[in-house]
């Protein structure tokens, strides 16, 4: 939850629907009013941002 809170709302919503709630990309697209391509791209980019947030937090913990 902490890491997801660092993402923009649209990225957080796309990730939550597909990866946490288990909706298909098509279902998430229908719920959001987006194309399936947009849901896939937002999820791909959001996973990268999430990875960066987590890695930065881990680095701060190691340095601190």
């Amino acid at each position: 939850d902490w890491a997801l809170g660092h993402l923009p709302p649209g990225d957080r919503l796309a990730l939550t629907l597909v990866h946490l709630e288990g909706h298909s990309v098509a279902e998430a697209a229908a719920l959001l009013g987006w194309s399936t391509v947009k849901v896939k791209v937002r999820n791909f980019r959001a996973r990268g941002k999430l990875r960066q947030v987590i890695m930065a937090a881990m680095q701060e913990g190691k340095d601190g």
Side-chain angles (χ1 to χ4, degrees):
D1 286 340
W2 171 86
L4 285 173
H6 286 77
L7 297 178
D11 290 350
R12 185 171 50 245
L13 193 53
L15 274 179
T16 299
L17 287 173
V18 175
H19 295 287
L20 298 179
E21 294 184 5
H23 292 282
S24 69
V25 171
E27 290 171 336
L31 289 169
L32 295 169
W34 296 351
S35 69
T36 56
V37 171
K38 183 173 181 175
V39 172
K40 288 179 183 181
V41 168
R42 290 293 290 259
N43 271 298
F44 177 80
R45 291 179 181 165
R47 286 191 307 268
K49 291 175 189 174
L50 194 60
R51 191 174 301 112
Q52 289 177 338
V53 167
I54 293 169
M55 294 300 286
M58 289 174 60
Q59 188 63 36
E60 286 179 19
K62 194 185 298 184
D63 292 341

